[in-house]
Amino acid sequence: MIQLQHETVRIPNEVTPAILADCYWDPAIAKHPLVIFCHGYKGFKDWGAWDLAMQTLAKAGFAAVKFNFSLNGTSLDQPTEFVDLDAFGRNTYTQEQRDLARVIAHYQAQPFVDETQVFLIGHSRGGGAVLLQTYYNDQVTGAISWAGVADFKKRFPQRDNFEQWKEKGVFYSMNGRTKQQMPHYFTFWEDFVAHEQELTIQYAAQNLRKPVLIVNGTADEAVGVKEAELLHLWIKDSELFIVEGADHVFGARHPHTAEQLPDDLEKVVNKTIAFIQQQLVKE
C-alpha cells in the first residue's frame, strides 16, 4: 500500500495574500511529474472530493498539488470558508494567472519534482485559467480541462446589468451553497479590458501547440458540452472526453465524506492519469 507524503505550505505573494497550497507525493519515487489543480469560481482547493482526487493522482506517481487562489475569498486560517468577501471582490483573471505562475515556480524547485514535466488541471473557470497559462508559460507541458470554460468575456454582466455595475461599482452574485452575496468590483472588468487579448481563451487555444485533454459532462448546466467542443476544435493537439450523464462537478458534493471518488469523477481522474502517462511516454 502506498504511503503518501503530504505537505501544506504558504507561498509568498508580492501584493496579495500568500497562496495556501498543498501537495501529495510518493516518497518512494525520486522525481515526480508535477500536476497542479486549479479550482473554479466560488471554489477552493478542498471543496468536495478534490482532495481525494489529488491523492489518487499522487498514488499514480505524480506530485499532485492543489491551491487556493490568493483572492478567492477564503483566508489562510479558514481555507474552506468565504470569510474575506472584499478579497473575492478584488480578484481578477490576471491575478489568478500570477498566482498560478507562482505556484508552478515554487513546486518546480522542490527536490521530488521533475521540473521538465508540468501538467495543469483546471475545473470550470480554472479550466480557462490553465489553458491561458499553458499557452503563455513555457514551463508547462500540457493541460487538462475539467468542465472548463471557453470564454471569460461572455460571463460578465450584460447590457442593463452591466450599466448598473458600472454605476454602482459592484455587483453581487449569490453563492448557492452558502447563500452569501459575493461581490465583484468594477475593477474586475477594467482589468479584463486592459488585458483582453491575453485573457481571450480562444486566442490562446487556437495558437496552443501542447497536448490538452478536454473533459465535460452531458448534464453540465454551468458549462455545456458545446464549450468543450469549441475548445477541441480550437486546440490542434487535443482530446475530447465526454462523460455521459455527468454534471458540472462530476457527481461530487461538499462536503465529501466517502472514502471513494464519485463514479463520474473517478472516470475523469482515471482518464486524466492515462492522458498524462501517454504524454510522458511520448517524451
Side-chain angles (χ1 to χ4, degrees), residues 42 50 53 75 83 94 129 167 171 181 215 218 253 269 275:
K42 299 177 185 172
W50 298 150
S75 70
V83 293
T94 55
E167 179 183 348
F171 86 88
Q181 292 287 347
V215 181
T218 59
R253 297 293 181 267
V269 171
F275 175 79

Side-chain angles (χ1 to χ4, degrees), residues 44-62:
F44 44 89
K45 69 182 181 66
D46 295 314
W47 184 92
W50 298 150
D51 188 73
L52 187 55
M54 293 306 103
Q55 291 186 50
T56 306
L57 284 160
K59 289 176 181 177
F62 309 125

